[in-house]
Amino acid sequence: LDALAANEDVYYFGVGSNLSRSRLENRSMSGKKIHPISFEPCVIYDFRLAFNLTGIPPMEPAMGSIEPLPSFYEENDDDQMNSRQLRRTESKAFVAYETNECHGALIKLSAEDYDLVYQSEGGGSGPTQGYEEIEVTCVPYDKSKKPVKAVAYRTTEFGRVDQIQDLWPSKRYMGIIRSGAAELGLEASYQKWLADHPAHEPSLLLRKVSINSCLFMGVLHFGLNLHFIPLLQTVMLYQVLVPPTAPVWKQYLGEVAAVIILFPSSLLGVTLRTILEKSGKTPPIVKKFIEHFEETT
């Protein structure tokens, strides 16, 4: 974190979609390409990959971050923070990896490019942002290289979807993670864990209804500063969200309930989308959003 303050090159520990170099290079919301100085596989100990960042249910139940494991903390149970000043949580993985470690990408970035990554992850939005920056020690796979300190993202209290239990990723998002892990050459046992991890696959109908609903809710949230309605809808959708490990009939009922909740805002979203497309005035960020979530694995 000292490098950030000094405006120097920064090491960043990437997980999720940032396991892929090409995705990282093109993730800037401004359209400016990011140019990593170096990009290599590494591992951090006493942390886990967590799916605990509030997503866009039911299309994206939860997004990825990292979370300290119990082994990270000191033995004094009365302390809420350990010597590295990270708050203690008791959250558990939906499906845990076999050892106390998290594999990912060790990425060296210029200060300017790191800021692009930070902004693309919602950084700079104050108390409502989903991630906080923490410092981790990355051990490169290349044994000739020494461990280095890096910045990583942990879900904030505000952004956490559940305080006790992680949720699960969508099949689309998990497909991106698995592809990035293979591209980066992460440890075989870790890739197997990712391959076996349950993932949610909404039906085509639910996906399209969700996308159109998001367009309208985005106008309310970002354009009109009407946060209550999108928040209420999100809470309702999480109430009917069914794990991918549940019986098929339960998953079907969950989808039906989600479509009913989403239908009014989706209808308004379709109308808005049609007007924008016919007028040729669809904002680039909206086009990027639609392309992002219409992507299939």
Side-chain angles (χ1 to χ4, degrees), residues 260-290:
I260 292 171
I261 293 169
L262 289 165
F263 184 76
S265 57
S266 179
L267 190 60
L268 292 167
V270 168
T271 303
L272 174 62
R273 184 173 177 179
T274 301
I275 292 171
L276 290 173
E277 289 176 351
K278 286 188 175 181
S279 65
K281 295 181 179 180
T282 305
I285 192 170
V286 173
K287 289 182 179 179
K288 190 169 185 177
F289 170 84
I290 294 171

Side-chain angles (χ1 to χ4, degrees), residues 9 20 91 111 127 208 228 276 281:
D9 292 345
S20 167
S91 64
K208 289 190 175 297
F228 174 73
L276 290 173
K281 295 181 179 180

